[in-house]
Amino acid sequence: MTVNPRLYPLLATIGIFMLAYLVCWMQFPYMLSTRVVGNLLTDNAYLGIVAVGMTLVILSGGIDLSVGSVIAFSGVFIAVLLRDTGLHPLAAFAILLAVTTAFGAAMGGVIHLLAMPAFIVTLAGMFLARGAAYMLTIESVPIVHPFYETLKNAYWLMPGKGRLTLIAIVMLLAVVAGALIAHRTRFGASVFAIGGGEQTARLMGVRVGATTVGIYAFSGFMAGLSGIVFSIYTSSGYPLATVGTELTAIAAVVIGGTLLTGGAGYVLGTLFGVLTMGLIQTYIVFDGSLSSWWTKIVIGVLLLLFILLQRGLLRVSSLRA
Amino acid sequence: MLLSIRSLSKSFPGTKALDAVDFELKAGEVHALLGENGAGKSTLIKCMTGAYRRDSGQILLDGQPVSPGTTSEAQELGIGTVYQEINLLPNLTVAQNLTFGREPRRFGMISSRAQRDMAREMLAGYGLDIDVGRDLGSYSVAVQQVIAIARAVSLSGKVLILDEPTASLDAAEVRMLFDILRDLRDRGLGIVFVSHFLDQVFDLCDRLTVLRNGCKIATEAIAETDRLKLIKHMLGRELDEATEEERRKTTAPHEERHEMLRFDRVGRPGTVAPFDLTVRRGEVIGLAGLLGSGRTESAELLFGVRAAQSGQAHDEAGPVDFSNPRAAIRAGFGFAPEDRKTDGIIADLSVRENIVLALQARRGWTHPVPRAEQNRLADDYIARLDIRTSDAEKAVGDLSGGNQQKVVLARWLAMNPRFLILDEPTRGIDIGAHAEILRLIHQMTAEGMALLVISSEFDELVAVSDRIIVLRDRRHAHALVGDEVTADAIVRAIATPDAAQTQTRGAA
Amino acid sequence: QTVGFSQIGSESGWRAAETTLTRQQAEERGIDLKFSDAQQRQENQIAAIRSFVAQGVDAILLAPVVATGWDSVLEEAQEAEIPVVLLDRQVDAPDDLYLTAVGSDLVHEGEVAGQWLVEKVGDRECRIVELQGTTGSSPAIDRATGFRNAIEGHDNLEIVRSQTGDFTRTGGKEVMESFLQAESGNEICALYAHNDDMALGAIQAINEAGLNPGEDILIVSIDAVPDIFKAMAEGDANATVELTPNMAGPAFDALEAYWEDGTMPEKFIQTESTLYTQDDDPMAEYEARKDLGY
Amino acid sequence: MRRTFTRVLPQLLTLAVLMALVTLFFPQFLAVDYQGGRLSGPVIDVLKRGAPVALLAVGMTLVIATRGIDLSVGTVMAITGAAAAWAIASGWGAGTAVLLALAAGLVCGLWNGCLVAVVGIQPIVATLILMTSGRGIAQLITEGRILTFNDPGFAWLGSGILAGLPVPVFIWILTAVAVAILMRRTALGLLVEAIGINRSASALAGVNARVLLIAVYMASGLCAALAGIIATADIRGADANNAGLWLELDAILAVVIGGNSLLGGRFSVAASVLGAMIIQTIDTGILLAGFPSEYNLVIKAGLVLIILVLQSPNLASEWYFLRRSLTQRREPKPVPSRVKE
Ligand SMILES: Nc1ncnc2c1ncn2[C@@H]1O[C@H](COP(=O)(O)OP(=O)(O)OP(=O)(O)O)[C@@H](O)[C@H]1O
Ligand SMILES: Nc1ncnc2c1ncn2[C@@H]1O[C@H](COP(=O)(O)OP(=O)(O)OP(=O)(O)O)[C@@H](O)[C@H]1O
Ligand SMILES: [Mg+2]
Ligand SMILES: [Mg+2]
């Protein structure tokens, strides 16, 4: 059976991740413990969720720079809401998700109606969301609620003491949901179509406006969900949290094999992109000898290495085909 | 009346593209929409199908006023369309393109197996044997064109609109398409057909409407019109077709011409098998072959777009470097590519800037072409090639398809190359401009320029070429010289394969 | 012994000095230090601590980027019986989750600075401008609070303008320039900066505006980095409150005692917030500090 | 000249309105006084403080014209500043320090350009790599501390006075004028626009797209180096951690406020530097108006958004059709014909 060339970038991503894990494992045998695997999933849960939203945005040829700020805003919003009102966290979640989804939809609307580049609209969105977080509070607000305790302590103890936490499971579910939406619905098909060429998509009958609004609303929803997960992860809301997360998410999506120009990619690839970013972090912590500045340099170099490897693999496979 | 359009108008900044146009389409007819480049055919189609917002006018479908605001609304009304430039999405699979908007679903989710089945069903009858799970972009222009037609056909409950569907198809495919169209017509569909090939119009259509400068000139039954009358409608004047006959007689036999360039064993594995080519001053070499036979790729090798992995070139002065386009240009080559949208025009730049671009690139950035010189060149070629534009500062992307093609030609003529490669130079060009371009070819060769022309129209090739090379399966299989240069000979050369080899079409 | 150290990042010279001193201390005591730079991100710190736990280190040093949100990860460390020592900033978690916290009291620092100013100006009217740290960061919030506590009840002191300079020199300079425009320089009597870097930037701005920092405008700030002593020696700055970068020394002391026989240290080991003024031989202080990696 | 003026008219108007707005909140905004051989006043501050973003915007304009983006400029400022400070600290003198910084900027640009043009990595990702790791390189040079120096010559570049005005003002204006002339008096502008709109067609027409792309990123690196020199000279120290932090976003905003399309093609350097001044006016205005600092971001975001919306070409047509559809019956919506593929 021959492999469809469409799958090459995805396979390359997964292959490189496996290879990288192997290299890490040979250096630190402990890397293969369920504990490390569980940590990898839990620690990157919020990133994975937001990256799924980002994948759809990038598939449509857009970009969403606001997500990092939206995560911070979400945490602050929930924390303040729980502190100042007697709402149940679930109600707070519902309100928050409505707010962030509407925020995303509004950005999508501006992008479409005013034909403004997504980069700029979401950049303004990034300032706005963080500014809104500041206006709610400038301090970090702890979340104390019995329900949060339950959420925090919900995990499945894997053999070997690793924990598969609730938020990790939420992340995996988000990936599955994202994959189904992107690859198995008409909405997803429209997203790919817009990424392939907006004008063409329009002529093929895509409702570009509605789809654009939907895409950014989805990203806003995912950022809100990621904010919830992050607030569970840290039991607090902090307006300065997750600065620059949008760039990490974009990098993860790109490493996951999605083209930044839009129209080609897989949500599953994004999961591996996120895990790769997490692996780089873990490796650096395990190593523990890098100074602050070398940490930055090494992260950059590893990022470049992954991208080059991926391109190399793709070139080789396209030559063979 | 199935579809009637009353007094439809549309202006763009600086142009009145449609001026109170009426148009009527009956059920069960094929109606040709004709006109010069820039006459407004594509604009009319786009206004009809909701891709453009019209300024004024009425559209009636089955007597009911309709106003499709988006193309998807038009599709829901039963109007299927193949647009001229933009067809399908190269990043989606063939199946996704074909079923787009009507994907079969199970439990709300698209079932990709059912989708592929549906796609294969839609393609049945078009003689394409391709893997519908592959990206559309991996197939040739012709295959994509057939897929676009198949999609539009299946979308057209009542009306099917085809804007130059045959521009990149070869004769066999055109025949097959026509069979399908006749069948649809007999089933009561109304079909709008745009083409610059008048033979096809007379072969297929029942009635025709001619547009000129955005105005409707005439609607007539095919039976009541003839070629000359039609051309007169389109151009507003008679066309002088005599020149073509003249030429072959006036030029010297090609052996006596001065040899200018010699390519030895140029080739690239997986692209085109190594071939030799001798180019003489003032001669026209035609490249013939079926779609996918490697004509474009041969041209790309000669111009360095794809680096040749073997072979070299010589002229009197010694070896010639053609390893990349810039080197080839320095060596005096020129290349007007096949896909003008992605490889030819710079859409947002003006006509003037597009024309001087290559010249400027060769002179280097430190030696800007003076503005007066730029204006002179632009005005000169706008006049010589009859480029229809409001002025030289209009963005090329806003010109009609045929006029964009002329701008690309003008760019290379302005370079005055010694060896110019034209890949499908007359694709999408109207009959007046077609004659104009052939005349230009003659004029250029008379001044000593050598040409390599690729065309799917054998008659056109025969008309211009001194020599024709026939390609088959990515090999230069045959050369026809002198009296052998006839359309029949080409067809025969293509059809008699070297025993073992069989023709494959479609996926390369 | 292996100790994991989760540092916030390297956003300032002070932080770099803290890192340098921690490494030095570890080396002197023969401790294997695993260092992790979190690039200002709490999530990276949490991930790092979990990695330390997974690797089974003997103790963890944590300089928390923010006060909240550490409960669950600290619980995880506790379950693995790894003692955690907090450095220089407090957290908002039950104090049985960590061994001890070494640090200064940020509010107190602000108070020391404020008290100095109150004494210095006496009964004179004094219009104060304030250069705040990064909006939302705990030093910015606490140092602002402390300073306000100290000047409360002294009606002759008034904070007339307050704006963030993001803890940076450029920020300090730019914001000070706008203060000087907005309040017409001569009417400003004192500047309170949440860190020395901003004060140093502001000093340049004051100089360039043709005024005399240290005389026309009194300058008090916090941290005691080497450069501010140089400025004091030149008479450009008036006072600074020390925040020692040597948090690791007391932390390792506590850890070693704990490893040895399980001695539980105090829950909060407070470092001193010493006030330095121009009278404290600033040049000598500068020489003493300049090689600490600030 | 006429054409440039009509091109930048929207930006000039925006700037004027904005200045009027700031004057409402801070009446002395337009006051300028002259004493001790130098002009001073909020407007002069805007001109001076806007220098780094204006310089970055000049380079960024070229990069964006080729359909790219350069996220690394803020980091390059840090690297070049660190290099200059290091050179001075090692006793090499101001001249060498400036040359070293410029060279470092060029090298950074070359690196970005090669990743984009030769390796073929998408610009956002390619420059993201330098953006994250470059600050590490800068810290490596300064070893994490603020590397201070005392060289009056070098400091003059940041805070000196020439003919009554701060030196950085001259640096950014001269750079912008030089680049604009270079682009428009030679064919560079046309070639850069061509590769930005359609790279493959330009390459087929013989434009050396690869070299041009690299050159454009190098120009951006050079501009960032100038900005880095100014920032470093201004505080007489290289702050590797904070120099130029997030300034790339301001620079991109400036280019877009200048009416340049992020999709590449037509560009105007003059409009971009006006965009930078608009942003600086907002920043300075916020500082002068004296709002609490937690409002800074919201105010800035709000103003930027309003400016962009008002400048959006679609707004006019939307208005037109909205008004028409209120009077007439509903008509199909326009296809923005601007959006080309
Ligand atoms: N988006 C646009 N903006 C401005 N002018 C346009 C635009 N699209 C088309 N035009 C102009 O409208 C006129 C009609 O163009 P149209 O594409 O309809 O011609 P056509 O008959 O299809 O020609 P061809 O045979 O070359 O395809 C031309 O003069 C063209 O320049
Ligand atoms: N290695 C390949 N893999 C996939 N498709 C290929 C490959 N090589 C060529 N093709 C496709 O085959 C097509 C035919 O090649 P080429 O364009 O040279 O033929 P042509 O005779 O000029 O036909 P056309 O008239 O369609 O241009 C190419 O356009 C390309 O889409
Ligand atoms: Mg047309
Ligand atoms: Mg071809």
Side-chain angles (χ1 to χ4, degrees):
Chain A
M1 194 190 128
T2 60
V3 178
N4 193 326
R6 282 172 76 83
L7 287 171
Y8 286 163
L10 181 63
L11 296 180
T13 305
I14 297 178
I16 292 171
F17 174 75
M18 299 292 186
L19 186 78
Y21 212 111
L22 194 75
V23 170
C24 290
W25 172 64
M26 292 202 310
Q27 208 167 343
F28 305 106
Y30 203 76
M31 286 288 283
L32 212 59
S33 68
T34 55
R35 205 166 204 159
V36 174
V37 176
N39 284 354
L40 205 55
L41 290 174
T42 306
D43 294 335
N44 296 293
Y46 78 99
L47 184 61
I49 295 172
V50 86
V52 169
M54 185 70 83
T55 309
L56 250 81
V57 174
I58 290 181
L59 279 176
S60 77
I63 200 159
D64 188 350
L65 297 180
S66 72
V67 293
S69 301
V70 172
I71 296 175
F73 169 81
S74 306
V76 173
F77 184 83
I78 294 173
V80 170
L81 214 58
L82 294 185
R83 184 188 66 187
D84 298 347
T85 69
L87 278 179
H88 190 270
L90 283 178
F93 293 169
I95 300 175
L96 172 82
L97 289 176
V99 170
T100 59
T101 309
F103 181 68
M107 289 195 297
V110 173
I111 291 168
H112 174 70
L113 285 181
L114 302 181
M116 277 176 19
F119 192 98
I120 289 301
V121 175
T122 58
L123 182 60
M126 161 178 160
F127 290 155
L128 267 183
R130 198 165 294 276
Y134 278 147
M135 288 173 59
L136 285 175
T137 174
I138 56 167
E139 297 175 40
S140 79
V141 182
I143 300 177
V144 271
H145 194 282
F147 185 67
Y148 255 78
E149 292 299 311
T150 333
L151 291 179
K152 227 164 43 181
N153 295 322
Y155 56 82
W156 172 60
L157 204 60
M158 294 184 284
K161 280 206 143 185
R163 299 174 183 193
L164 187 60
T165 54
L166 177 71
I167 57 175
I169 294 170
V170 170
M171 188 260 277
L172 294 176
L173 288 179
V175 171
V176 172
L180 286 179
I181 290 176
H183 307 300
R184 285 277 168 274
T185 64
R186 289 193 181 163
F187 173 73
S190 302
V191 172
F192 274 85
I194 293 178
E198 190 183 321
Q199 203 77 315
T200 314
R202 194 191 303 276
L203 292 184
M204 280 185 77
V206 174
R207 287 170 223 280
V208 176
T211 310
T212 306
V213 171
I215 291 164
Y216 288 88
F218 179 76
S219 176
F221 177 85
M222 282 307 200
L225 187 63
S226 170
I228 292 173
V229 162
F230 195 74
S231 77
I232 296 171
Y233 185 57
T234 63
S235 318
S236 64
Y238 181 43
L240 275 177
T242 57
V243 173
T245 293
E246 54 282 344
L247 294 179
T248 318
I250 292 169
V253 172
V254 170
I255 291 187
T258 297
L259 279 185
L260 259 184
T261 40
Y266 284 91
V267 174
L268 186 62
T270 297
L271 174 64
F272 282 91
V274 168
L275 292 180
T276 306
M277 300 294 282
L279 192 66
I280 294 180
Q281 279 291 342
T282 311
Y283 176 81
I284 287 174
V285 176
F286 264 75
D287 177 73
S289 65
L290 293 177
S291 67
S292 297
W293 27 99
W294 276 109
T295 304
K296 292 191 177 114
I297 298 175
V298 168
I299 289 178
V301 169
L302 288 179
L303 203 66
L304 179 64
L305 205 72
F306 278 105
I307 293 172
L308 289 182
L309 252 174
Q310 199 183 40
R311 294 192 68 84
L313 270 185
L314 288 180
R315 189 158 298 173
V316 169
S317 56
S318 73
L319 280 186
R320 262 201 337 203
Chain B
M1 211 40 64
L2 179 58
L3 179 75
S4 20
I5 287 175
R6 305 231 174 102
S7 187
L8 194 147
S9 295
K10 170 80 188 169
S11 331
F12 294 107
T15 358
K16 180 124 200 171
L18 294 174
D19 191 1
V21 170
D22 295 323
F23 179 76
E24 306 229 300
L25 179 69
K26 290 186 212 154
E29 73 165 344
V30 182
H31 194 134
L33 186 57
L34 302 174
E36 289 178 285
N37 293 132
K41 305 178 294 293
S42 301
T43 308
L44 178 63
I45 288 170
K46 287 187 176 162
C47 287
M48 247 148 67
T49 55
Y52 280 169
R53 174 145 60 177
R54 61 185 184 276
D55 295 343
S56 64
Q58 243 194 333
I59 303 175
L60 303 173
L61 186 65
D62 285 329
Q64 296 297 313
V66 293
S67 183
T70 61
T71 46
S72 57
E73 282 174 39
Q75 286 171 12
E76 278 154 25
L77 290 171
I79 305 176
T81 316
V82 176
Y83 296 96
Q84 180 179 13
E85 293 289 346
I86 305 159
N87 296 308
L88 299 170
L89 291 158
N91 61 318
L92 300 187
T93 64
V94 174
Q96 284 172 327
N97 269 294
L98 279 168
T99 61
F100 196 90
R102 296 170 302 151
E103 296 90 346
R105 289 184 289 192
R106 291 180 62 193
F107 314 116
M109 295 283 140
I110 297 172
S111 150
S112 51
R113 173 166 309 170
Q115 190 176 31
R116 285 197 297 271
D117 290 343
M118 183 170 163
R120 272 192 286 267
E121 210 166 288
M122 286 166 72
L123 282 182
Y126 289 88
L128 279 188
D129 180 26
I130 56 174
D131 178 358
V132 294
R134 293 261 169 142
D135 282 1
L136 180 86
S138 62
Y139 292 103
S140 69
V141 184
V143 173
Q144 295 187 22
Q145 188 76 12
V146 173
I147 293 169
I149 293 170
R151 174 179 155 80
V153 165
S154 74
L155 276 172
S156 56
K158 294 174 179 162
V159 179
L160 174 63
I161 301 173
L162 303 170
D163 195 351
E164 297 197 32
T166 52
S168 51
L169 299 188
D170 66 20
E173 278 152 336
V174 168
R175 257 196 314 281
M176 190 183 61
L177 173 64
F178 282 8
D179 287 342
I180 293 169
L181 293 184
R182 287 192 188 100
D183 183 45
L184 291 172
R185 173 188 63 190
D186 295 343
R187 282 197 266 147
L189 241 71
I191 299 173
V192 180
F193 181 81
V194 179
S195 176
H196 291 295
F197 300 109
L198 297 189
D199 295 340
Q200 294 179 359
V201 170
F202 281 99
D203 181 12
L204 176 74
C205 300
D206 304 306
R207 290 200 302 160
L208 56 83
T209 292
V210 177
L211 296 182
R212 191 167 73 224
N213 285 334
C215 300
K216 189 187 111 169
I217 299 299
T219 299
E220 284 168 2
I222 286 284
E224 291 158 18
T225 190
D226 61 37
R227 223 181 138 86
L228 285 180
K229 199 167 142 201
L230 183 55
I231 290 171
K232 201 172 155 197
H233 278 323
M234 283 165 61
L235 304 188
R237 61 185 159 84
E238 314 263 341
L239 182 70
D240 174 21
E241 283 186 286
T243 33
E244 284 157 50
E245 299 308 315
E246 295 299 307
R247 178 185 181 264
R248 298 277 293 283
K249 292 169 210 144
T250 56
T251 48
H254 94 276
E255 291 80 9
E256 291 168 19
R257 286 211 198 104
H258 190 66
E259 184 175 312
M260 183 171 75
L261 272 170
R262 175 194 287 278
F263 293 93
D264 288 319
R265 311 306 302 157
V266 176
R268 184 186 160 97
T271 305
V272 183
F275 61 89
D276 295 333
L277 184 70
T278 310
V279 182
R280 296 181 172 81
R281 272 176 65 84
E283 85 169 332
V284 180
I285 307 168
L287 276 193
L290 293 179
L291 296 177
S293 56
R295 294 166 300 175
T296 297
E297 283 162 347
S298 299
E300 286 177 349
L301 284 181
L302 295 179
F303 194 65
V305 182
R306 301 167 186 239
Q309 287 193 348
S310 63
Q312 59 277 120
H314 295 275
D315 59 8
E316 297 124 59
V320 171
D321 179 11
F322 62 105
S323 56
N324 61 59
R326 282 161 40 74
I329 289 172
R330 264 197 306 275
F333 298 7
F335 177 48
E338 170 177 34
D339 186 344
R340 62 172 166 256
K341 196 173 107 199
T342 59
D343 299 331
I345 60 164
I346 318 281
D348 287 350
L349 290 189
S350 68
V351 173
R352 166 181 59 84
E353 287 165 318
N354 266 280
I355 291 177
V356 298
L357 184 65
L359 194 62
Q360 181 62 68
R362 189 177 58 185
R363 289 174 58 150
W365 61 273
T366 45
H367 296 83
V369 181
R371 185 58 186 262
E373 170 82 3
Q374 294 188 17
N375 289 338
R376 195 190 58 71
L377 276 171
D379 293 341
D380 186 25
Y381 282 103
I382 288 174
R384 270 173 72 187
L385 299 184
D386 190 23
I387 299 173
R388 300 289 167 86
T389 171
S390 45
D391 64 292
E393 298 306 315
K394 186 162 179 163
V396 164
D398 290 343
L399 297 189
S400 78
N403 285 308
Q404 294 178 359
Q405 182 74 30
K406 294 187 208 165
V407 171
V408 175
L409 267 179
R411 176 188 298 161
W412 292 108
L413 295 184
M415 295 282 286
N416 195 18
R418 58 176 170 160
F419 176 47
L420 180 57
I421 304 167
L422 303 175
D423 196 351
E424 305 280 4
T426 56
R427 167 174 297 173
I429 280 193
D430 70 44
I431 188 146
H434 195 268
E436 191 64 40
I437 285 174
L438 296 191
R439 201 164 17 238
L440 258 162
I441 289 179
H442 298 158
Q443 200 180 326
M444 290 184 289
T445 51
E447 289 163 13
M449 187 188 294
L451 287 174
L452 183 78
V453 178
I454 300 173
S455 173
S456 301
E457 269 188 280
F458 299 155
D459 292 332
E460 176 182 309
L461 271 188
V462 169
V464 296
S465 309
D466 300 293
R467 195 150 61 99
I468 289 181
I469 296 169
V470 179
L471 273 79
R472 202 165 54 218
D473 291 343
R474 302 171 179 279
R475 285 186 311 106
H476 290 218
H478 251 287
L480 307 174
V481 194
D483 292 341
E484 296 169 330
V485 178
T486 63
D488 276 352
I490 297 176
V491 173
R492 258 200 316 277
I494 290 175
T496 47
D498 326 335
Q501 274 159 352
T502 44
Q503 278 298 328
T504 47
R505 234 198 36 219
Chain C
Q1 304 284 31
T2 307
V3 173
F5 175 27
S6 171
Q7 175 64 292
I8 296 179
S10 56
E11 76 281 5
S12 66
W14 184 88
R15 186 117 348 247
E18 186 186 41
T19 306
T20 314
L21 278 164
T22 308
R23 281 185 195 277
Q24 266 176 19
Q25 291 280 343
E27 206 165 320
E28 278 169 20
R29 295 164 201 249
I31 292 171
D32 180 16
L33 191 76
K34 287 211 168 255
F35 175 75
S36 160
D37 179 299
Q39 330 252 339
Q40 261 72 38
R41 304 239 202 127
Q42 182 179 23
E43 56 273 27
N44 286 354
Q45 288 202 294
I46 295 180
I49 296 174
R50 300 175 132 217
S51 280
F52 290 147
V53 172
Q55 288 176 81
V57 295
D58 299 303
I60 294 172
L61 301 184
L62 165 65
V65 64
V66 53
T68 52
W70 301 100
D71 305 38
S72 52
V73 69
L74 290 180
E75 274 162 27
E76 245 175 84
Q78 196 174 45
E79 267 169 44
E81 297 179 351
I82 299 172
V84 176
V85 179
L86 304 174
L87 297 190
D88 75 76
R89 290 187 187 178
Q90 296 285 347
V91 301
D92 211 352
D95 65 5
D96 56 326
L97 287 180
Y98 53 87
L99 186 67
T100 179
V102 182
S104 87
D105 182 342
L106 294 168
V107 178
H108 181 59
E109 289 169 3
E111 284 167 356
V112 173
Q115 274 152 13
W116 174 83
L117 192 64
V118 167
E119 279 162 34
K120 179 87 183 173
V121 297
D123 292 334
R124 257 192 310 141
E125 283 292 315
C126 186
R127 295 161 66 80
I128 306 166
V129 294
E130 180 188 29
L131 283 169
Q132 295 182 327
T134 305
T135 311
S137 65
S138 58
I141 297 167
D142 291 345
R143 286 173 183 174
T145 315
F147 188 79
R148 281 168 179 72
N149 292 346
I151 64 169
E152 206 182 51
H154 301 271
D155 295 336
N156 55 329
L157 280 79
E158 187 198 357
I159 299 179
V160 290
R161 286 218 167 222
S162 161
Q163 180 55 257
T164 176
D166 273 325
F167 283 133
T168 67
R169 280 195 196 195
T170 315
K173 186 170 184 187
E174 175 169 5
V175 175
M176 191 67 207
E177 279 171 5
S178 77
F179 284 168
L180 291 169
Q181 300 281 2
E183 295 295 325
S184 83
N186 323 342
E187 303 192 356
I188 301 174
C189 120
L191 163 72
Y192 168 49
H194 287 185
N195 79 350
D196 291 338
D197 281 335
M198 289 192 292
L200 288 163
I203 287 170
Q204 293 183 18
I206 297 170
N207 268 325
E208 282 166 23
L211 294 169
N212 202 345
E215 283 172 24
D216 299 338
I217 298 178
L218 298 173
I219 289 169
V220 54
S221 54
I222 299 177
D223 272 2
V225 304
D227 284 346
I228 198 81
F229 287 109
K230 214 156 138 201
M232 272 195 227
E234 287 160 10
D236 285 343
N238 300 85
T240 184
V241 181
E242 177 172 39
L243 171 65
T244 175
N246 184 12
M247 303 278 171
F252 284 133
D253 288 343
L255 275 174
E256 279 172 342
Y258 174 77
W259 284 328
E260 194 141 335
D261 47 20
T263 322
M264 290 302 280
E266 299 263 325
K267 271 297 157 190
F268 183 50
I269 305 174
Q270 187 172 351
T271 59
E272 258 187 273
S273 301
T274 321
L275 177 78
Y276 288 90
T277 63
Q278 290 179 349
D279 308 329
D280 292 311
D281 191 2
M283 220 44 222
E285 294 292 337
Y286 172 72
E287 291 300 331
R289 280 156 216 265
K290 71 178 196 302
D291 292 324
L292 288 181
Y294 276 103
Chain D
M1 220 53 232
R2 259 302 277 278
R3 284 239 308 273
T4 317
F5 182 74
T6 37
R7 167 69 180 79
V8 302
L9 196 61
Q11 282 73 36
L12 283 175
L13 283 178
T14 311
L15 195 55
V17 172
L18 202 61
M19 289 171 93
L21 190 72
V22 176
T23 314
L24 270 185
F25 282 91
F26 186 77
Q28 306 96 301
F29 182 69
L30 294 173
V32 175
D33 44 71
Y34 182 82
Q35 45 173 244
R38 59 180 271 174
L39 291 163
S40 69
V43 179
I44 307 296
D45 273 0
V46 169
L47 286 174
K48 176 189 164 188
R49 284 284 150 215
V53 174
L55 282 166
L56 296 185
V58 170
M60 189 70 79
T61 307
L62 303 185
V63 172
I64 285 180
T66 65
R67 209 173 190 162
I69 203 155
D70 188 350
L71 293 182
S72 71
V73 288
T75 298
V76 174
M77 277 178 69
I79 296 177
T80 53
W86 176 82
I88 291 180
S90 320
W92 286 10
T96 330
V98 169
L99 288 182
L100 185 72
L102 295 180
L106 284 175
V107 170
C108 290
L110 181 67
W111 163 263
N112 283 332
C114 286
L115 286 188
V116 171
V118 181
V119 185
I121 303 179
Q122 287 156 359
I124 290 196
V125 182
T127 55
L128 182 66
I129 290 169
L130 187 58
M131 177 187 179
T132 48
S133 56
R135 217 162 268 283
I137 297 173
Q139 287 176 339
L140 198 63
I141 300 173
T142 66
E143 291 174 318
R145 61 184 102 181
I146 298 180
L147 204 56
T148 52
F149 53 83
N150 212 339
D151 181 312
F154 193 78
W156 181 80
L157 291 172
S159 46
I161 300 292
L162 187 69
L165 280 173
V167 176
V169 180
F170 289 95
I171 297 183
W172 76 254
I173 292 181
L174 281 181
T175 308
V177 170
V179 170
I181 288 181
L182 186 69
M183 288 294 143
R184 296 303 169 200
R185 289 277 173 267
T186 71
L188 268 181
L190 173 67
L191 299 180
V192 164
E193 286 173 350
I195 60 172
I197 298 166
N198 190 339
R199 185 170 159 193
S200 75
S202 309
L204 280 182
V207 181
N208 199 339
R210 188 168 287 183
V211 167
L212 269 175
L213 272 177
I214 294 177
V216 158
Y217 282 89
M218 287 177 77
S220 177
L222 199 64
C223 288
L226 283 172
I229 289 171
I230 290 179
T232 305
D234 183 35
I235 58 165
R236 295 157 206 250
D239 186 350
N241 311 301
N242 299 302
L245 198 60
W246 302 118
L247 280 199
E248 53 279 343
L249 297 183
D250 273 354
I252 294 167
L253 267 184
V255 174
V256 173
I257 289 180
N260 298 297
S261 164
L262 280 180
L263 295 179
R266 301 282 188 202
F267 68 88
S268 159
V269 171
S272 289
V273 294
L274 279 175
M277 288 305 121
I278 290 174
I279 291 179
Q280 190 58 45
T281 306
I282 295 177
D283 283 348
T284 305
I286 290 174
L287 290 183
L288 289 173
F291 299 115
S293 39
E294 51 266 35
Y295 292 92
N296 292 5
L297 265 183
V298 179
I299 298 172
K300 182 167 175 180
L303 283 176
V304 166
L305 211 57
I306 292 172
I307 291 171
L308 289 174
V309 166
L310 289 180
Q311 285 186 4
S312 156
N314 261 37
L315 190 72
S317 70
E318 284 296 322
W319 255 118
Y320 173 72
F321 281 104
L322 196 71
R323 285 225 318 269
R324 248 178 51 148
S325 57
L326 286 182
T327 51
Q328 296 181 14
R329 66 186 184 81
R330 227 183 115 248
E331 286 237 36
K333 286 180 96 195
V335 177
S337 54
R338 236 166 38 78
V339 190
K340 290 267 158 41
E341 278 167 77

